[in-house]
Amino acid sequence: MDDFSLRLLSEAARTHGPSTAGHADARTHAQADAAARQAGGDLEHRILARTRARHDFADYSEALERVRLLFAVGLGLLAGLAALAGAATVQAALAPDEHGQLNFFTLLFALLGLQFLALLAWLALFVFSGGANGLLGSIAREVLQKFVLWAGRSGIQVAVLSATISVLFRSALGRWTVGVITHGLWLAFLVAALGLTVFQLSTKSYAFVWETTILSSSFFVPLTEFLSILPGLLGFPVPNVAAVMASEATGANPGAVAHRDAWAGLLFGAIAVYGLIPRFVLLVFCLVMGRRARRGHRLDTAAPGFAELAPRLMPHASKGGYADAGAGAMPAHGAGRAAVYVNRITANPDGPVAVLGLEIERPATGWPPDIGEPGLIDLGCIDSGHDLRSVLDTLKSPQAVPRQIIFVGSLLTTPDRGLRAQFEQVLGGIDVPATLVLTDGGAFRERSHASDVALRVSDWRSMAAEFFPEPENIVEIDLDHLTEVTRARLASLASGEGNEQVQASGNRLRACFDLILEEYAVWQDGQVEPGHVQQAELHRRIAQLYSGEDDEDGKEGGFLSFGEKLDIDVSSLGTRLQAGADMMTGILPGRLVADPRWLLAGALAGSLGCIAAATLASPMAIAALPLWAGAGAALSAVLPSREGKAPETTTAPAWGTDAVRSAVLFSLVLDAQGYDEVTITRLIDDAIGDDEDSGGDDGGFATLAGTQGWLDRVHTRYQAAQKREAGR
Amino acid sequence: MKDGVLRIAVVGHTNTGKTSLMRTLIRDSGFGEVSNRPATTRRVEGAALMVDGEPLVELFDTPGLEDSIGLLEKLDRMRGNLGLDWTDTLRRFVDSDEADGAFTQEAKTLSHLLQCDVGLYVIDARDRVLGKHRDELEVLGRTAIPIVPVLNFVASNFARTDVWREQLARANMHAVAEFDTMVLDFDSELRLFETLKVLAAAYRPTIERIVEHVSSQRTVRIKASANLIADLLIDASACTVVTQAGADDQSTEVLEDLKARVRRREQDFIAQLLALHEFDDHDFSHNALPLRNGAWGFDPFSPEALKQFGLGTGSAAAAGAAAGLAVDVLSAGVTLGVGTATGAVIGAAIGAAREKGRDVLARLSGETQLRVDDATLHLLIIRNARLVEALFRRGHASQDPLRLNDRTADRQGAETWQSLKPDIRRMRAHPEWSTLDGASEGLPRSSGRTLLRDEVAGRISELLFALLDHDKDSQAGRQ
């Protein structure tokens, strides 16, 4: 098969392929792709190879054969029609009068006039518009399309036909195709006409005359001479002046009969010179040019359907596989650190607490962190091998023996073997209780996805597990954003006690829930669904309860610490709100995420919390914020739609239930500050329960009493869960 | 220089994005394994950049360096004992038994770096500059292989690009490349290759071929994307359904059917576009595109979708029932004169005249023609152009989502729309150009459609180039 046919088929496969390719074809496609890659060369070459390697290539080539056949039949029929037309024209024009005379010029015009005008029009359009389709060609194309479409059946046939038509009748190639058809059909017309004329003149006797009403012989003589120039040059006998003068139609004119050989010669000569020869020359010209255009035809590899193949057929890169022997075991712990600690320093129970930072930046709240201990050894931060050696030296001196050592690591750092080596070296030489505080949680959350945070915490835990066998000796406290709760937690690490914090937090949560209930009563009373402004205001008041009173910045806890000041501009607001919503929904337990109502509440709590955090910085009414107008719209965009919403089981309309859920989540998350993310999720899971719409004696979640009952239950469950966590 | 193939080792601290850099350079999101955890890559894995089937650059992904403090100590000790120069010490080290102990990963990396022509040292620009980094640079410097530091995550708001540049300058590294692996930024990729040209001067012709290839690939992709949008546009614009006047029930039904077809067509378009850009399903997990589960969140006929791109619903909304669709009733034949514009050639005029005749007849017999309205077509162009933009800036979204309501982009989109309006009128005059009329599925469209598609695609690729360049400008403004 020649390349042009292959290109046609590729084009057909392009338009046909995507709509019919099912998954069952995937394997055969993969084979074709592989063959194409094997073929090499440029993209077009590979596409052609792929077409050839298609499992249904035979169908395609068969379809092409059929389309070709149909075109041939169609063209043959048209040519036959054209020939018939030519014959009919001659038949009609060769009708002599009662004297057996024929008007030569009428006959000539009938045979050649239309054809010659069409030829001139074609030439003019060809020269001036750069390409002409020609009248007959255009009609023929339409007819051919209709005919082949009518005859074509299968999907592949239609695709091949479609490709053939679009390639053959398009731009550069199209003008030559149509040219060939135009000139070919006219040629058929003329050959038939000439043939029948020769036959008629051979078997019948005609005399050629001319006649006129308003013109004279002085017009017909030069006209005849002009028409005779070319045929005369070609050796056709042509009438001379005397013959023309003698052939005027004046009844039965014997002079005309005498000159009929010359007139017949001119007739044949004119058909040849003004019809056959130019049409033939143009036909050959169009054929040659068409052939050239076919050879020059290339696939448009950027066309839809081809462009998508590029990555598969001509990969930008090839994978080279592994270049080493194997993954190998991860280095064994302690391997290579040959140091044997003969004299391990043991803890001094009356000694101070030592603090040591590992590859961390100075926290915003200062270094060393305030752990509520006056005499504390600041071991500094390890940043290089030199730092490590000096820390090891310090620890060897007897006056610096601590009773406990607190490491501070950063969640921004990937826990790697280098860090493990540092633990190994420091803890290998001393036998002192150690605790690891992971800071920078806020900063890490800001630049990562919610799921990454839990992963990072667990990576730290597993890396450090051998040095901190008790899980509670690794805690996540953001030293950049200390709240009252996290301060207490930090202090309790040093003192080793820490249960009164549960009680303290219980009181604050109680206050939050009272606040929520108060607002809920207002909404129920007014029978209105609270707007975003009211809800944001509620969140702000909740956040205020949790912001440390002694914190001048008024910044609220670490978890939602990204709303610094009021310089959130409206354009980035959507992003911020989305981040807040993602963060909050990210820590919800899966059970709640699956429930659209809680998913909505989580997104609401996260994004409203973001606004609340922003407004805490300067206490002003949220509705007066310049960005609020934008925030409303941005919020709506952020919130998940509630399609698939579970039907409310209560009959009474429940106003503000979304708002209550969101505010409860927000309170719980604020209250759980200082726990790591996994624990927060667990606490929420335990606290929320699944009884908010179970009805019950007090009317369920939809009434004030019911809500109060539910909030009480949440509170109790939360405290129980918190106690459980403390005991873990 | 062995066979003209440039060999590059990608090295760096653990979890800085070495495998991501590989993936971005070789455009294969399935290469290796990527996670936000330490020591994800444990083996050296190679890949080659191909031009016309010929490998020109070999890249090797290596395990991360982790314990550079310990490694440096070790090497210092070895050199002291052996009295060799640094390169020989390193060669001795990677062959030694020590390399099987605590420093297996480091030894693998170093041994591959020693076999390469140049090393790319990947840095997470959001990290603080720490002693361990200085130690790593120290060790790498001793290999006597040219090292190009590559600052990853520079597009992040938390990047400390300047600090890193200063620190690298102090370590005598001035040819620094900024290349965010999360952002497929064409210009920074070119700059990376430019930097390589300087440091691996012997491979200049190789690198130039790669650069040329990468540039032409990008152009082809932009044009192919524009072709897809143009096809979508023609299908949606030309699609016409006819109802009898007065038969309101039927109109609603037909209208819904039309909307459904356009919706499906856009969905097919998205699938084709993602295939063109080799976007895998799992790429969606990081919100890299403004899509949800591979589809635009908003129906193209919804006012919300229009609002997203700052488009008004205009008069169509006023019509009420047909939100998003213009009802083109017999109104002084606004679209009647269109076909004649093509009539330079006698033959072509026949087709147009017949078309017109049908149109007029339809109007006179009380039929109402329904077509997709301007606002929706405008939306289809702009939002899918922005989708293409997002694909070229792939991954950017995880740090800084594509802002859909971008004024400049909307303005550029509106200009393109204005310039396309005459073409849209032509499309509307040719219902047979649309592939959305189920009946003629697969039938040959006329060559006029193809020519118009090329023309429209040209204009849309101009828009795409503008959007992508605009992105570059705004990035430059941020820096």
Side-chain angles (χ1 to χ4, degrees), chain A residues 302 316-321 323-324 326 335 337 359 383 389 414 416-417 456 459, chain B residues 13 15 28 36-37 44 46 48 50 66-67 73 102 108 128 130-132 227 278:
Chain A
H316 183 68
S318 75
K319 285 192 211 177
D324 58 357
R337 310 270 175 190
E359 298 181 358
D383 187 15
R389 280 188 292 277
T414 311
D416 54 25
R417 279 182 289 113
R456 179 59 60 87
D459 281 344
Chain B
H13 194 79
N15 197 23
D28 181 353
N36 192 5
R37 308 184 63 175
V44 178
M50 319 275 286
E66 293 193 38
D67 190 1
E73 267 178 21
K108 264 186 199 176
R128 287 183 297 275
L130 292 168
K132 60 184 180 190
N227 271 340
E278 298 162 82

mmCIF file of all heavy atoms in Angstrom, chain A residues 302 316-321 323-324 326 335 337 359 383 389 414 416-417 456 459, chain B residues 13 15 28 36-37 44 46 48 50 66-67 73 102 108 128 130-132 227 278:
data_model
loop_
_atom_site.group_PDB
_atom_site.id
_atom_site.type_symbol
_atom_site.label_atom_id
_atom_site.label_comp_id
_atom_site.label_asym_id
_atom_site.label_seq_id
_atom_site.Cartn_x
_atom_site.Cartn_y
_atom_site.Cartn_z
ATOM 1 N N ALA A 302 -0.879 17.729 14.501
ATOM 2 C CA ALA A 302 -1.423 18.474 15.645
ATOM 3 C C ALA A 302 -2.935 18.351 15.712
ATOM 4 O O ALA A 302 -3.553 18.869 16.630
ATOM 5 C CB ALA A 302 -1.020 19.945 15.558
ATOM 6 N N HIS A 316 8.718 11.206 25.199
ATOM 7 C CA HIS A 316 9.731 12.215 25.456
ATOM 8 C C HIS A 316 10.947 11.565 26.096
ATOM 9 O O HIS A 316 12.052 12.035 25.979
ATOM 10 C CB HIS A 316 9.119 13.251 26.392
ATOM 11 C CG HIS A 316 10.000 14.403 26.699
ATOM 12 N ND1 HIS A 316 10.334 15.330 25.748
ATOM 13 C CD2 HIS A 316 10.621 14.782 27.843
ATOM 14 C CE1 HIS A 316 11.124 16.232 26.301
ATOM 15 N NE2 HIS A 316 11.317 15.929 27.558
ATOM 16 N N ALA A 317 10.717 10.480 26.791
ATOM 17 C CA ALA A 317 11.820 9.842 27.483
ATOM 18 C C ALA A 317 11.575 8.345 27.541
ATOM 19 O O ALA A 317 10.451 7.887 27.390
ATOM 20 C CB ALA A 317 11.930 10.391 28.908
ATOM 21 N N SER A 318 12.626 7.595 27.718
ATOM 22 C CA SER A 318 12.464 6.165 27.930
ATOM 23 C C SER A 318 13.027 5.827 29.291
ATOM 24 O O SER A 318 14.044 6.375 29.705
ATOM 25 C CB SER A 318 13.201 5.388 26.854
ATOM 26 O OG SER A 318 14.583 5.448 27.117
ATOM 27 N N LYS A 319 12.327 4.953 29.985
ATOM 28 C CA LYS A 319 12.830 4.572 31.301
ATOM 29 C C LYS A 319 13.974 3.590 31.138
ATOM 30 O O LYS A 319 13.909 2.673 30.314
ATOM 31 C CB LYS A 319 11.708 3.922 32.096
ATOM 32 C CG LYS A 319 10.704 4.935 32.591
ATOM 33 C CD LYS A 319 9.784 4.296 33.596
ATOM 34 C CE LYS A 319 8.412 4.952 33.528
ATOM 35 N NZ LYS A 319 7.461 4.348 34.423
ATOM 36 N N GLY A 320 14.992 3.802 31.900
ATOM 37 C CA GLY A 320 16.170 2.954 31.743
ATOM 38 C C GLY A 320 16.234 1.835 32.757
ATOM 39 O O GLY A 320 17.148 1.030 32.745
ATOM 40 N N GLY A 321 15.252 1.807 33.659
ATOM 41 C CA GLY A 321 15.286 0.775 34.687
ATOM 42 C C GLY A 321 16.310 1.095 35.764
ATOM 43 O O GLY A 321 16.935 2.157 35.759
ATOM 44 N N ALA A 323 19.630 1.129 37.863
ATOM 45 C CA ALA A 323 21.029 1.131 37.473
ATOM 46 C C ALA A 323 21.904 0.606 38.605
ATOM 47 O O ALA A 323 23.104 0.785 38.610
ATOM 48 C CB ALA A 323 21.457 2.545 37.089
ATOM 49 N N ASP A 324 21.280 -0.007 39.601
ATOM 50 C CA ASP A 324 22.101 -0.568 40.686
ATOM 51 C C ASP A 324 21.627 -1.982 40.999
ATOM 52 O O ASP A 324 20.624 -2.452 40.458
ATOM 53 C CB ASP A 324 22.050 0.321 41.927
ATOM 54 C CG ASP A 324 20.632 0.508 42.407
ATOM 55 O OD1 ASP A 324 19.705 -0.009 41.743
ATOM 56 O OD2 ASP A 324 20.440 1.174 43.427
ATOM 57 N N GLY A 326 20.365 -3.444 43.699
ATOM 58 C CA GLY A 326 19.117 -3.676 44.412
ATOM 59 C C GLY A 326 18.927 -2.600 45.442
ATOM 60 O O GLY A 326 19.814 -1.775 45.670
ATOM 61 N N ALA A 335 24.984 1.266 62.946
ATOM 62 C CA ALA A 335 26.104 0.792 62.144
ATOM 63 C C ALA A 335 27.006 1.967 61.792
ATOM 64 O O ALA A 335 26.530 3.052 61.504
ATOM 65 C CB ALA A 335 25.585 0.126 60.878
ATOM 66 N N ARG A 337 28.675 3.758 63.572
ATOM 67 C CA ARG A 337 29.000 4.592 64.738
ATOM 68 C C ARG A 337 29.671 3.677 65.733
ATOM 69 O O ARG A 337 29.013 3.091 66.582
ATOM 70 C CB ARG A 337 27.730 5.163 65.357
ATOM 71 C CG ARG A 337 26.842 5.819 64.368
ATOM 72 C CD ARG A 337 27.209 7.261 64.251
ATOM 73 N NE ARG A 337 26.406 7.853 63.192
ATOM 74 C CZ ARG A 337 26.630 9.062 62.728
ATOM 75 N NH1 ARG A 337 27.616 9.780 63.197
ATOM 76 N NH2 ARG A 337 25.884 9.537 61.782
ATOM 77 N N GLU A 359 18.174 21.037 64.415
ATOM 78 C CA GLU A 359 17.914 21.610 63.083
ATOM 79 C C GLU A 359 16.637 22.432 63.067
ATOM 80 O O GLU A 359 15.799 22.297 62.168
ATOM 81 C CB GLU A 359 17.841 20.515 62.018
ATOM 82 C CG GLU A 359 19.136 19.748 61.863
ATOM 83 C CD GLU A 359 19.073 18.678 60.788
ATOM 84 O OE1 GLU A 359 18.010 18.503 60.174
ATOM 85 O OE2 GLU A 359 20.101 18.024 60.561
ATOM 86 N N ASP A 383 23.107 22.205 64.440
ATOM 87 C CA ASP A 383 22.927 22.558 63.038
ATOM 88 C C ASP A 383 24.008 21.908 62.181
ATOM 89 O O ASP A 383 23.857 21.723 60.987
ATOM 90 C CB ASP A 383 22.975 24.093 62.927
ATOM 91 C CG ASP A 383 22.626 24.553 61.529
ATOM 92 O OD1 ASP A 383 22.086 23.744 60.763
ATOM 93 O OD2 ASP A 383 22.892 25.721 61.217
ATOM 94 N N ARG A 389 29.256 18.057 68.248
ATOM 95 C CA ARG A 389 30.394 17.717 69.106
ATOM 96 C C ARG A 389 30.406 18.580 70.357
ATOM 97 O O ARG A 389 30.662 18.107 71.458
ATOM 98 C CB ARG A 389 31.696 17.874 68.320
ATOM 99 C CG ARG A 389 31.972 16.664 67.417
ATOM 100 C CD ARG A 389 33.346 16.746 66.802
ATOM 101 N NE ARG A 389 33.471 17.840 65.845
ATOM 102 C CZ ARG A 389 33.077 17.752 64.566
ATOM 103 N NH1 ARG A 389 32.527 16.633 64.111
ATOM 104 N NH2 ARG A 389 33.215 18.784 63.750
ATOM 105 N N THR A 414 12.315 16.777 57.442
ATOM 106 C CA THR A 414 12.013 15.376 57.196
ATOM 107 C C THR A 414 12.866 14.541 58.139
ATOM 108 O O THR A 414 14.075 14.701 58.174
ATOM 109 C CB THR A 414 12.384 15.003 55.751
ATOM 110 O OG1 THR A 414 11.845 15.971 54.882
ATOM 111 C CG2 THR A 414 11.846 13.639 55.404
ATOM 112 N N ASP A 416 15.196 12.125 59.079
ATOM 113 C CA ASP A 416 16.062 11.271 58.278
ATOM 114 C C ASP A 416 17.114 10.595 59.158
ATOM 115 O O ASP A 416 17.133 10.763 60.373
ATOM 116 C CB ASP A 416 16.725 12.085 57.165
ATOM 117 C CG ASP A 416 17.450 13.303 57.700
ATOM 118 O OD1 ASP A 416 17.859 13.278 58.886
ATOM 119 O OD2 ASP A 416 17.613 14.283 56.962
ATOM 120 N N ARG A 417 18.009 9.861 58.516
ATOM 121 C CA ARG A 417 19.001 9.136 59.281
ATOM 122 C C ARG A 417 19.987 10.073 59.956
ATOM 123 O O ARG A 417 20.571 9.760 60.982
ATOM 124 C CB ARG A 417 19.740 8.149 58.370
ATOM 125 C CG ARG A 417 18.941 6.874 58.148
ATOM 126 C CD ARG A 417 19.710 5.912 57.287
ATOM 127 N NE ARG A 417 19.783 6.371 55.908
ATOM 128 C CZ ARG A 417 20.894 6.746 55.306
ATOM 129 N NH1 ARG A 417 22.050 6.708 55.953
ATOM 130 N NH2 ARG A 417 20.880 7.160 54.052
ATOM 131 N N ARG A 456 3.695 13.100 58.497
ATOM 132 C CA ARG A 456 4.966 13.600 58.993
ATOM 133 C C ARG A 456 5.130 13.269 60.474
ATOM 134 O O ARG A 456 6.187 12.832 60.922
ATOM 135 C CB ARG A 456 5.041 15.112 58.729
ATOM 136 C CG ARG A 456 6.284 15.819 59.209
ATOM 137 C CD ARG A 456 7.564 15.290 58.615
ATOM 138 N NE ARG A 456 7.681 15.350 57.171
ATOM 139 C CZ ARG A 456 8.136 16.392 56.486
ATOM 140 N NH1 ARG A 456 8.500 17.475 57.109
ATOM 141 N NH2 ARG A 456 8.229 16.350 55.184
ATOM 142 N N ASP A 459 5.945 9.732 60.803
ATOM 143 C CA ASP A 459 7.329 9.466 60.402
ATOM 144 C C ASP A 459 8.306 9.809 61.521
ATOM 145 O O ASP A 459 9.255 9.083 61.805
ATOM 146 C CB ASP A 459 7.692 10.267 59.150
ATOM 147 C CG ASP A 459 7.151 9.621 57.888
ATOM 148 O OD1 ASP A 459 6.784 8.428 57.962
ATOM 149 O OD2 ASP A 459 7.073 10.299 56.851
ATOM 150 N N HIS B 13 19.515 16.147 49.269
ATOM 151 C CA HIS B 13 19.105 15.629 50.564
ATOM 152 C C HIS B 13 17.813 14.835 50.366
ATOM 153 O O HIS B 13 17.118 14.986 49.371
ATOM 154 C CB HIS B 13 18.898 16.778 51.546
ATOM 155 C CG HIS B 13 18.814 16.312 52.965
ATOM 156 N ND1 HIS B 13 19.925 15.984 53.699
ATOM 157 C CD2 HIS B 13 17.756 16.085 53.768
ATOM 158 C CE1 HIS B 13 19.551 15.573 54.895
ATOM 159 N NE2 HIS B 13 18.238 15.632 54.963
ATOM 160 N N ASN B 15 14.018 13.710 50.441
ATOM 161 C CA ASN B 15 12.746 14.432 50.403
ATOM 162 C C ASN B 15 12.868 15.889 49.955
ATOM 163 O O ASN B 15 12.253 16.776 50.517
ATOM 164 C CB ASN B 15 12.053 14.359 51.767
ATOM 165 C CG ASN B 15 10.575 14.718 51.681
ATOM 166 O OD1 ASN B 15 9.984 14.614 50.613
ATOM 167 N ND2 ASN B 15 10.010 15.153 52.775
ATOM 168 N N ASP B 28 6.933 12.171 32.759
ATOM 169 C CA ASP B 28 6.339 10.871 33.039
ATOM 170 C C ASP B 28 5.993 10.831 34.512
ATOM 171 O O ASP B 28 6.874 10.682 35.358
ATOM 172 C CB ASP B 28 7.336 9.763 32.681
ATOM 173 C CG ASP B 28 6.742 8.386 32.932
ATOM 174 O OD1 ASP B 28 5.635 8.312 33.496
ATOM 175 O OD2 ASP B 28 7.386 7.404 32.543
ATOM 176 N N ASN B 36 5.969 12.457 50.483
ATOM 177 C CA ASN B 36 6.539 13.501 51.335
ATOM 178 C C ASN B 36 7.195 12.853 52.543
ATOM 179 O O ASN B 36 6.928 13.197 53.668
ATOM 180 C CB ASN B 36 5.411 14.459 51.741
ATOM 181 C CG ASN B 36 5.956 15.716 52.370
ATOM 182 O OD1 ASN B 36 7.169 15.924 52.419
ATOM 183 N ND2 ASN B 36 5.077 16.545 52.863
ATOM 184 N N ARG B 37 8.022 11.841 52.294
ATOM 185 C CA ARG B 37 8.630 11.094 53.397
ATOM 186 C C ARG B 37 10.097 10.885 53.088
ATOM 187 O O ARG B 37 10.512 11.003 51.938
ATOM 188 C CB ARG B 37 7.943 9.734 53.546
ATOM 189 C CG ARG B 37 6.443 9.844 53.656
ATOM 190 C CD ARG B 37 5.823 8.520 53.899
ATOM 191 N NE ARG B 37 6.249 7.952 55.183
ATOM 192 C CZ ARG B 37 5.757 6.834 55.675
ATOM 193 N NH1 ARG B 37 4.855 6.165 54.996
ATOM 194 N NH2 ARG B 37 6.185 6.375 56.814
ATOM 195 N N VAL B 44 18.976 3.481 42.409
ATOM 196 C CA VAL B 44 19.298 4.401 41.334
ATOM 197 C C VAL B 44 18.499 3.967 40.109
ATOM 198 O O VAL B 44 18.575 2.824 39.679
ATOM 199 C CB VAL B 44 20.803 4.358 41.016
ATOM 200 C CG1 VAL B 44 21.110 5.291 39.859
ATOM 201 C CG2 VAL B 44 21.603 4.740 42.240
ATOM 202 N N GLY B 46 17.285 4.996 36.129
ATOM 203 C CA GLY B 46 17.675 5.846 35.014
ATOM 204 C C GLY B 46 16.542 6.084 34.040
ATOM 205 O O GLY B 46 15.568 5.340 33.994
ATOM 206 N N ALA B 48 16.055 8.189 29.916
ATOM 207 C CA ALA B 48 16.755 8.939 28.878
ATOM 208 C C ALA B 48 15.789 9.874 28.187
ATOM 209 O O ALA B 48 14.653 9.513 27.913
ATOM 210 C CB ALA B 48 17.368 7.981 27.862
ATOM 211 N N MET B 50 14.597 11.527 24.938
ATOM 212 C CA MET B 50 14.719 11.095 23.552
ATOM 213 C C MET B 50 14.338 12.231 22.612
ATOM 214 O O MET B 50 13.401 12.953 22.856
ATOM 215 C CB MET B 50 13.755 9.938 23.283
ATOM 216 C CG MET B 50 13.665 8.926 24.384
ATOM 217 S SD MET B 50 14.931 7.696 24.248
ATOM 218 C CE MET B 50 14.323 6.757 22.884
ATOM 219 N N GLU B 66 21.363 11.520 53.491
ATOM 220 C CA GLU B 66 20.694 11.773 54.762
ATOM 221 C C GLU B 66 21.664 12.148 55.869
ATOM 222 O O GLU B 66 21.478 13.114 56.576
ATOM 223 C CB GLU B 66 19.855 10.550 55.176
ATOM 224 C CG GLU B 66 18.681 10.315 54.251
ATOM 225 C CD GLU B 66 17.689 9.322 54.827
ATOM 226 O OE1 GLU B 66 17.466 9.353 56.045
ATOM 227 O OE2 GLU B 66 17.153 8.508 54.048
ATOM 228 N N ASP B 67 22.715 11.374 55.984
ATOM 229 C CA ASP B 67 23.605 11.597 57.124
ATOM 230 C C ASP B 67 24.911 12.191 56.634
ATOM 231 O O ASP B 67 25.956 11.548 56.647
ATOM 232 C CB ASP B 67 23.843 10.268 57.846
ATOM 233 C CG ASP B 67 24.547 10.480 59.175
ATOM 234 O OD1 ASP B 67 24.822 11.648 59.517
ATOM 235 O OD2 ASP B 67 24.826 9.480 59.852
ATOM 236 N N GLU B 73 32.569 13.171 58.232
ATOM 237 C CA GLU B 73 33.538 12.720 59.239
ATOM 238 C C GLU B 73 34.300 11.496 58.752
ATOM 239 O O GLU B 73 35.515 11.408 58.818
ATOM 240 C CB GLU B 73 32.800 12.360 60.528
ATOM 241 C CG GLU B 73 32.712 13.492 61.517
ATOM 242 C CD GLU B 73 31.930 13.073 62.754
ATOM 243 O OE1 GLU B 73 31.809 11.847 63.011
ATOM 244 O OE2 GLU B 73 31.428 13.967 63.454
ATOM 245 N N ALA B 102 26.704 1.915 57.190
ATOM 246 C CA ALA B 102 25.771 2.983 57.538
ATOM 247 C C ALA B 102 25.479 3.880 56.355
ATOM 248 O O ALA B 102 24.484 4.581 56.346
ATOM 249 C CB ALA B 102 26.356 3.811 58.679
ATOM 250 N N LYS B 108 25.877 4.758 47.133
ATOM 251 C CA LYS B 108 25.252 4.550 45.827
ATOM 252 C C LYS B 108 25.195 5.844 45.035
ATOM 253 O O LYS B 108 25.554 5.910 43.860
ATOM 254 C CB LYS B 108 23.808 4.092 46.029
ATOM 255 C CG LYS B 108 23.609 2.617 45.977
ATOM 256 C CD LYS B 108 22.125 2.348 46.033
ATOM 257 C CE LYS B 108 21.902 0.925 46.435
ATOM 258 N NZ LYS B 108 20.503 0.616 46.610
ATOM 259 N N ARG B 128 15.327 25.696 55.602
ATOM 260 C CA ARG B 128 16.382 26.584 56.064
ATOM 261 C C ARG B 128 17.715 26.038 55.588
ATOM 262 O O ARG B 128 17.877 24.848 55.379
ATOM 263 C CB ARG B 128 16.373 26.646 57.590
ATOM 264 C CG ARG B 128 15.246 27.421 58.153
ATOM 265 C CD ARG B 128 15.386 27.469 59.657
ATOM 266 N NE ARG B 128 15.295 26.122 60.239
ATOM 267 C CZ ARG B 128 14.146 25.526 60.538
ATOM 268 N NH1 ARG B 128 13.022 26.152 60.321
ATOM 269 N NH2 ARG B 128 14.129 24.336 61.059
ATOM 270 N N LEU B 130 20.981 24.681 56.320
ATOM 271 C CA LEU B 130 21.501 24.055 57.533
ATOM 272 C C LEU B 130 22.914 23.542 57.305
ATOM 273 O O LEU B 130 23.377 23.425 56.164
ATOM 274 C CB LEU B 130 20.607 22.884 57.939
ATOM 275 C CG LEU B 130 19.208 23.259 58.427
ATOM 276 C CD1 LEU B 130 18.341 22.033 58.513
ATOM 277 C CD2 LEU B 130 19.298 23.943 59.785
ATOM 278 N N GLY B 131 23.530 23.192 58.398
ATOM 279 C CA GLY B 131 24.867 22.635 58.310
ATOM 280 C C GLY B 131 24.929 21.411 57.427
ATOM 281 O O GLY B 131 25.883 21.210 56.684
ATOM 282 N N LYS B 132 23.866 20.597 57.489
ATOM 283 C CA LYS B 132 23.891 19.367 56.703
ATOM 284 C C LYS B 132 23.960 19.674 55.209
ATOM 285 O O LYS B 132 24.586 18.941 54.444
ATOM 286 C CB LYS B 132 22.671 18.498 57.011
ATOM 287 C CG LYS B 132 21.348 19.145 56.711
ATOM 288 C CD LYS B 132 20.204 18.242 57.139
ATOM 289 C CE LYS B 132 18.866 18.909 56.822
ATOM 290 N NZ LYS B 132 17.742 18.211 57.408
ATOM 291 N N ASN B 227 -6.693 23.258 18.775
ATOM 292 C CA ASN B 227 -7.526 22.512 17.827
ATOM 293 C C ASN B 227 -8.701 21.855 18.541
ATOM 294 O O ASN B 227 -9.819 21.855 18.040
ATOM 295 C CB ASN B 227 -6.683 21.417 17.159
ATOM 296 C CG ASN B 227 -6.009 21.927 15.903
ATOM 297 O OD1 ASN B 227 -6.435 22.923 15.337
ATOM 298 N ND2 ASN B 227 -4.966 21.256 15.486
ATOM 299 N N GLU B 278 -1.149 13.923 28.842
ATOM 300 C CA GLU B 278 -0.707 12.777 29.634
ATOM 301 C C GLU B 278 -1.038 12.939 31.107
ATOM 302 O O GLU B 278 -0.202 12.755 31.982
ATOM 303 C CB GLU B 278 0.810 12.589 29.503
ATOM 304 C CG GLU B 278 1.258 12.304 28.102
ATOM 305 C CD GLU B 278 2.734 12.563 27.950
ATOM 306 O OE1 GLU B 278 3.498 11.675 28.318
ATOM 307 O OE2 GLU B 278 3.111 13.640 27.491
#
